[in-house]
């Protein structure tokens, strides 16, 4: 780091510390005592378990996740074993580790191991399901106006190849009740009986909205529509029971919230669709059933996928999902209240409380100098990083700029206080 960088860091850290002292003074003594005793989470865990550079304020876990040192160690151990004898590793050993990792993850997400496999990422997950479905010009695929871009393009690509149509549910804000969302899906399904395949987000990326997927899946089932759940943000954030959910397909990144190295997502297919489902890249074992079809898609690096079990072990070592959720959700709410109080004009996204993603918060930015374009988004994100060492997600949603912050086990209120101070600086200066 240069001297200038260092002085920036010092300023940033002291600004955050100053803000936090004020913030702490505003809290009652009792609450503070509780906070002091309460937690294995926060600063210590960040220093001990994560590799993030000390000077960074990490508030964007939802984009690319973060891998604990313990899991990285397991990954390098496997890489070393693989290099000691690449022949035995690939011919005889890796399958056993890959299966064990799937089984461990299957327990976490409430799935039978037979219906679950790994793909590289959620984008590969949607493409796998779409390519395993037979579309004609008489069919439709349903997305929504906030569906993740790669998922939208996946639908579009299939439409270009097969002549099928792409329909989109339109969300506008405020949303007052989750039933409004269910009604919009019902209306689309009823108006377009040609819809064959619905891509339904579990947590919508830009808005961090938790969608009422259960009633939507039910509507799809009643109409024989294949339901694909884009749960990119779900594993490690939401308690999952995939065997009971009733969807046909589910994909979800392990690398976002489940402490797994990048290159690992779950892919679930239920008993109705499993026999028609094939891996995207042809497997050496294409005709040997679902499990082996997703293994040996050519020679590849399995080190991330075989570490997913270690990611799950790490999650359990912290007390499991329920303890992590307790910490993250409480801090998220505290953070949002602080932001609305201290950053005049900031306002949380207008959605009902049961639609707020557990580990993320989204608020509309107050008056600012940035263009309402993707360039404006990039500029603001860069300013926050370059001037204040903050990694946070900025989103342009229906011609307004929003900030999406993530809370995970290492996040503390100082990070939020620093974000608010930084926004006060960059938005108007
Ligand atoms: C809702 C949603 N779907 C899909 C994706 C794509 O995930 P990946 O880039 O791992 O394929 C993301 C990534 O952030 C997402 O938020």
């Amino acid at each position: 780091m240069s001297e200038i960088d260092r002085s920036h860091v010092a300023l940033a850290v002291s600004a955050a510390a100053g803000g936090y002292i004020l913030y702490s003074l505003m809290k009652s003594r009792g609450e503070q005592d509780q906070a002091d005793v309460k937690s294995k989470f926060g600063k210590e865990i960040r220093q001990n378990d994560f590799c993030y550079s000390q000077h960074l304020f990490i508030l964007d876990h939802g984009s690319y996740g973060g891998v604990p040192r313990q899991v990285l160690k397991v990954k390098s151990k496997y890489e070393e074993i693989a290099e000691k004898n690449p022949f035995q590793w690939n011919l005889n050993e890796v399958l056993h580790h890959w299966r064990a990792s799937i089984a461990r993850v299957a327990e976490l997400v409430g799935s039978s191991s037979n219906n679950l496999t790994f793909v590289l990422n959620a984008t590969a997950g949607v493409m796998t399901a779409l390519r395993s479905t037979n579309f004609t010009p008489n069919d439709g695929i349903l997305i929504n106006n906030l569906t993740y871009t790669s998922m939208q393009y996946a639908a579009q690509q299939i439409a270009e190849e097969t002549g099928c149509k792409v329909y989109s549910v339109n969300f506008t804000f405020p949303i007052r009740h989750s039933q409004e969302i269910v009604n919009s899906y019902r209306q689309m399904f009823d108006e377009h009986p040609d819809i064959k395949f619905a891509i339904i987000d579990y947590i919508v990326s830009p808005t961090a909205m938790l969608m009422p997927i259960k009633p939507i899946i039910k509507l799809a089932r009643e109409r024989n529509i294949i339901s694909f759940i884009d749960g990119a943000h779900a594993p490690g954030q939401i308690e999952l029971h995939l065997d009971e959910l009733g969807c046909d397909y589910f994909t979800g990144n392990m690398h976002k919230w489940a402490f797994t190295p990048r290159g690992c997502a779950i892919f679930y297919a239920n008993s109705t669709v499993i026999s028609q489902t094939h891996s995207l890249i042809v497997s050496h074992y294409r005709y040997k059933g679902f499990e082996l079809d997703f293994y040996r898609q050519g020679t590849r690096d399995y080190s991330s996928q075989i570490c997913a079990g270690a990611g799950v072990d790490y999650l359990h070592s912290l007390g499991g999902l329920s303890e992590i959720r307790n910490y993250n959700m409480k801090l998220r709410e505290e953070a949002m209240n602080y932001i609305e109080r201290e950053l005049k004009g900031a306002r949380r996204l207008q959605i009902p409380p049961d639609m707020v993603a557990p580990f993320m918060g989204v608020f509309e930015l107050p008056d600012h100098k940035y263009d309402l374009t993707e360039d404006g988004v990039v500029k603001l994100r860069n300013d926050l990083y370059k001037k204040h060492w903050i990694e946070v997600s900025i989103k342009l949603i229906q011609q307004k700029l929003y900030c999406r912050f993530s809370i995970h086990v290492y996040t503390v209120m100082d990070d939020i206080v620093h974000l608010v101070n930084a926004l006060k600086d960059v938005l108007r200066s």
Side-chain angles (χ1 to χ4, degrees):
M1 229 192 304
S2 71
E3 275 314 305
I4 296 176
D5 290 347
R6 272 182 221 289
S7 61
H8 261 118
V9 176
L11 273 176
V13 172
S14 68
Y20 190 65
I21 290 165
L22 270 178
Y23 167 77
S24 304
L25 286 172
M26 282 155 40
K27 295 188 87 185
S28 75
R29 189 62 211 262
E31 274 177 291
Q32 271 184 53
D33 287 349
Q34 221 185 359
D36 292 342
V37 207
K38 113 181 134 193
S39 202
K40 55 189 165 205
F41 299 111
K43 281 206 165 85
E44 209 174 305
I45 220 173
R46 172 167 165 169
Q47 251 156 22
N48 294 338
D49 292 1
F50 289 85
C51 304
Y52 298 124
S53 299
Q54 288 299 314
H55 66 287
L56 292 179
F57 294 80
I58 307 286
L59 287 164
D60 193 17
H61 193 96
S63 285
Y64 300 108
V67 189
R69 291 182 209 281
Q70 290 90 320
V71 179
L72 283 178
K73 264 194 208 146
V74 176
K75 185 170 190 280
S76 353
K77 187 192 78 185
Y78 282 130
E79 282 167 340
E80 208 177 317
I81 296 173
E83 288 317 310
K84 282 189 176 154
N85 186 336
F87 315 95
Q88 286 309 309
W89 175 254
N90 283 291
L91 289 171
N92 293 326
E93 288 166 29
V94 72
L95 178 58
H96 158 76
H97 295 289
W98 190 71
R99 276 185 174 143
S101 188
I102 292 176
R104 191 85 179 99
V105 173
E107 278 168 31
L108 178 77
V109 301
S111 164
S112 145
S113 305
N114 297 336
N115 297 81
L116 196 77
T117 190
F118 289 140
V119 290
L120 278 185
N121 50 43
T123 304
V126 75
M127 215 57 208
T128 303
L130 285 168
R131 288 241 181 271
S132 298
T133 307
N134 191 19
F135 290 100
T136 71
N138 298 326
D139 297 322
I141 301 174
L142 183 65
I143 57 172
N144 67 62
N145 59 332
L146 297 173
T147 294
Y148 193 77
T149 313
S150 65
M151 302 263 158
Q152 289 189 28
Y153 287 156
Q156 203 172 304
Q157 165 89 25
I158 297 294
E160 281 164 18
E161 289 172 13
T162 67
C164 77
K165 294 182 200 64
V166 177
Y167 298 105
S168 182
V169 180
N170 197 35
F171 301 136
T172 52
F173 301 94
I175 294 168
R176 290 194 179 77
H177 200 286
S178 58
Q179 190 58 37
E180 289 173 30
I181 301 284
V182 180
N183 292 345
S184 314
Y185 275 88
R186 180 185 288 108
Q187 193 180 340
M188 284 305 280
F189 289 153
D190 288 345
E191 281 174 8
H192 304 286
D194 54 341
I195 292 174
K196 178 171 192 171
F197 190 106
I199 300 175
I200 305 155
D201 317 43
Y202 204 156
I203 292 177
V204 179
S205 171
T207 56
M209 293 192 310
L210 181 66
M211 296 270 282
I213 58 166
K214 280 189 188 155
I216 301 172
I217 292 171
K218 186 162 175 283
L219 291 174
R221 286 207 86 73
E222 288 161 2
R223 292 159 177 78
N224 277 329
I225 293 168
I226 297 174
S227 52
F228 173 93
I229 303 301
D230 171 6
H233 282 274
Q237 178 168 195
I238 308 276
E239 199 176 308
L240 294 169
H241 302 280
L242 295 186
D243 282 338
E244 290 159 32
L245 197 54
C247 62
D248 294 293
Y249 288 113
F250 187 105
T251 195
N253 284 324
M254 292 299 289
H255 71 242
K256 283 189 188 289
W257 297 98
F259 305 118
T260 301
R262 280 151 226 112
C264 181
I266 53 168
F267 180 78
Y268 171 92
N270 76 3
S271 55
T272 317
V273 290
I274 197 164
S275 59
Q276 74 190 40
T277 304
H278 291 289
S279 59
L280 265 189
I281 299 174
V282 76
S283 162
H284 200 78
Y285 298 127
R286 180 173 167 86
Y287 300 106
K288 293 199 169 178
F290 179 77
E291 185 202 31
L292 288 176
D293 195 358
F294 283 80
Y295 171 70
R296 257 190 104 182
Q297 298 166 56
T299 306
R300 51 169 51 194
D301 177 10
Y302 291 90
S303 59
S304 294
Q305 299 186 347
I306 61 182
C307 282
V312 175
D313 290 343
Y314 179 76
L315 186 148
H316 286 303
S317 77
L318 300 181
L321 195 48
S322 65
E323 279 198 39
I324 294 173
R325 278 168 65 98
N326 281 347
Y327 178 80
N328 289 2
M329 290 171 75
K330 188 160 178 280
L331 185 55
R332 186 212 62 211
E333 204 41 35
E334 211 174 314
M336 195 55 105
N337 290 338
Y338 179 84
I339 290 163
E340 284 189 320
R341 198 172 56 237
E342 295 299 317
L343 186 64
K344 294 288 165 271
R347 202 165 68 126
R348 70 185 76 197
L349 182 71
Q350 299 300 287
I351 54 177
D354 65 341
M355 284 186 65
V356 176
F359 302 174
M360 290 189 280
V362 175
F363 61 93
E364 188 184 332
L365 292 168
D367 287 347
H368 58 79
K369 62 179 186 191
Y370 292 90
D371 291 345
L372 294 175
T373 58
E374 281 311 319
D375 285 349
V377 167
V378 172
K379 170 117 185 49
L380 173 51
R381 179 165 185 144
N382 283 345
D383 285 351
L384 286 168
Y385 173 64
K386 289 187 178 150
K387 288 181 79 180
H388 297 280
W389 303 106
I390 296 173
E391 291 291 4
V392 77
S393 205
I394 304 296
K395 306 284 183 191
L396 178 64
I397 308 167
Q398 296 168 5
Q399 286 308 297
K400 288 182 180 159
L401 281 189
Y402 289 82
C403 177
R404 186 192 77 185
F405 66 88
S406 295
I407 302 284
H408 214 351
V409 292
Y410 54 80
T411 317
V412 287
M413 263 309 281
D414 298 31
D415 299 321
I416 298 295
V417 172
H418 182 62
L419 172 67
V420 166
N421 288 337
L423 284 170
K424 282 180 186 165
D425 173 35
V426 299
L427 290 182
R428 283 157 216 161
S429 63

